[in-house]
């Protein structure tokens, strides 16, 4: 991380700012501007109008995210905080709020996900129903769920209540690999969540076993090659020893 430059701040203000910086604050240069990022989701930067550094959480935009002006452009606060505490945002990934609260920019609440993974993240509710993926069914008093899948989407209707449809959505979401914070009722899906995690652990274990087996075969091949080379060296040494002995006899006879 690049250190703040004292000359960018008026006399005395830099010292005051540094005195307030604690262990959970990090200094970086973001889009060419020196800022101090704090673990409560705020940043300290120089304000041109006021002529001094200020600490701010930013302002809310129309999409519910905190933003701030950096070098003449509007920047998302959670991206700035993530960069300070977690490093450069990986290419092709987005910064996600783990608990779904877009106003909580604590670095512990931020992670990088692919757009697809982000879609499978925290509970997002659209429409008038309070459950994710639930809408009115074809029948007069029935409900259905709909979910995005790798092949498009899946849907099932005929549920008597929105809650029943939400539970059905949760079960399908787990089968589709959605994260547990995306569920409507994660506390009711503990067994399925544990089963999925066990399955994932088993798959990882099998992959590790295959990797280890491949490494063992490579070591065996290298060992056989090394053994062959040792045998060759022993033969060469024996031949040189015989030639030396014969040369010695010739010298003694001469």
């Amino acid at each position: 991380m690049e250190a703040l430059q004292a000359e960018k701040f008026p006399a005395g203000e830099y010292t005051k700012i540094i005195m307030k910086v604690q262990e959970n604050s990090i200094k970086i240069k973001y889009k060419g501007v020196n800022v101090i990022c704090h673990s409560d989701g705020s940043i300290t930067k120089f304000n041109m109008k006021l002529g001094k550094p200020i600490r701010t959480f930013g302002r809310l935009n129309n999409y519910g995210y905190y933003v701030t002006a950096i070098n003449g452009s509007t920047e998302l606060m959670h991206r700035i905080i993530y960069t300070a505490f977690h490093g450069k945002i990986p290419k092709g990934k987005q910064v996600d709020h783990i608990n779904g609260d877009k106003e909580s920019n604590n670095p512990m609440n931020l992670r990088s996900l692919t757009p697809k993974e982000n879609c499978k993240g925290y509970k997002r509710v659209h429409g008038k129903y309070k459950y994710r993926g639930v809408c009115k069914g074809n029948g007069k008093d029935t409900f259905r769920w709909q979910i995005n899948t790798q092949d498009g989407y899946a849907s099932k209707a005929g549920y008597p209540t929105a809650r029943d449809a939400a539970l059905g959505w949760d079960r399908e979401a787990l089968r589709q690999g959605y994260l547990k914070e995306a569920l409507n009722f994660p506390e009711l899906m503990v067994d399925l969540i544990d089963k999925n995690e066990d399955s994932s652990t088993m798959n990882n274990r099998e992959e590790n076993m295959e990797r280890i087996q491949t490494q063992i075969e490579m070591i065996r091949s290298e060992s056989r090659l090394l053994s062959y080379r040792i045998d060759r060296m022993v033969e060469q040494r024996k031949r040189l020893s015989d030639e030396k002995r014969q040369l010695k006899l010739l010298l003694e006879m001469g």
Side-chain angles (χ1 to χ4, degrees):
M1 298 298 178
E2 183 169 346
L4 278 174
Q5 298 175 4
E7 62 269 19
K8 296 296 184 181
F9 297 92
E13 290 295 335
Y14 180 80
T15 302
K16 292 178 183 179
I17 293 297
I18 295 302
M19 290 293 289
K20 294 180 181 180
V21 175
Q22 301 181 5
E23 294 180 359
N24 55 353
S25 298
I26 297 179
K27 298 166 285 185
I28 65 169
K29 178 173 282 189
Y30 193 86
K31 299 295 181 69
V33 175
N34 291 312
V35 296
I36 303 175
C37 298
H38 308 282
S39 59
D40 62 355
S42 66
I43 66 169
T44 297
K45 63 174 182 170
F46 186 77
N47 186 289
M48 297 296 292
K49 291 183 179 180
L50 299 178
K52 64 179 181 179
I54 62 167
R55 185 166 176 171
T56 177
F57 285 92
R59 60 178 176 79
L60 284 175
N61 65 8
N62 294 332
Y63 300 97
Y65 293 100
Y66 277 110
V67 297
T68 189
I70 296 287
N71 205 12
S73 65
T74 301
E75 301 292 334
L76 292 163
M77 288 287 290
H78 62 279
R79 291 178 66 87
I80 301 174
I81 297 296
Y82 180 94
T83 301
F85 286 88
H86 300 293
K88 185 178 179 181
I89 301 171
K91 185 177 180 180
K93 290 195 174 184
Q94 303 171 342
V95 177
D96 173 59
H97 293 81
I98 296 174
N99 67 358
D101 183 359
K102 293 185 288 187
E103 298 183 17
S104 176
N105 290 326
N106 183 306
M108 298 301 294
N109 188 42
L110 303 176
R111 63 183 171 186
S112 63
L113 297 175
T114 64
K116 185 175 181 180
E117 290 171 333
N118 202 357
C119 178
K120 294 182 178 181
Y122 75 90
K123 178 183 174 184
R124 294 176 176 84
V125 179
H126 302 286
K128 64 180 181 179
Y129 300 106
K130 63 180 180 179
Y131 302 117
R132 182 177 184 181
V134 174
C135 59
K136 192 68 176 176
N138 296 327
K140 182 179 180 181
D141 296 316
T142 62
F143 297 85
R144 67 184 179 91
W145 56 256
Q146 181 172 307
I147 191 170
N148 292 324
T149 68
Q150 292 183 349
D151 301 321
Y153 72 92
S155 179
K156 187 174 181 180
Y159 292 91
T161 68
R163 185 177 186 277
D164 290 330
L167 287 168
W169 187 94
D170 283 359
R171 285 188 286 269
E172 182 61 27
L174 285 174
R175 283 193 287 269
Q176 296 294 335
Y178 278 59
L179 305 178
K180 61 184 178 183
E181 58 262 30
L183 305 181
N184 294 293
F185 304 102
E187 69 280 0
L188 301 180
M189 298 290 158
V190 174
D191 291 341
L192 287 177
I193 291 172
D194 290 343
K195 184 177 179 181
N196 281 0
E197 291 179 348
D198 289 343
S199 176
S200 177
T201 300
M202 182 65 70
N203 290 336
N204 291 336
R205 189 175 300 161
E206 291 176 355
E207 291 177 1
N208 289 335
M209 288 297 294
E210 291 179 0
R211 191 177 300 110
I212 292 173
Q213 187 64 39
T214 301
Q215 292 174 347
I216 290 174
E217 291 300 327
M218 291 176 63
I219 292 172
R220 284 176 176 171
S221 298
E222 292 176 357
S223 177
R224 287 193 292 267
L225 180 59
L226 182 60
S227 178
Y228 171 76
R229 289 177 177 174
I230 291 174
D231 290 340
R232 290 288 304 275
M233 290 176 66
V234 169
E235 291 177 0
Q236 290 176 358
R237 182 177 180 182
K238 183 179 179 181
R239 186 168 60 252
L240 289 172
S241 179
D242 290 340
E243 291 176 355
K244 181 179 179 181
R245 186 167 52 253
Q246 290 176 6
L247 182 60
K248 184 179 180 181
L249 287 175
L250 289 173
L251 290 173
E252 289 175 351
M253 291 174 63

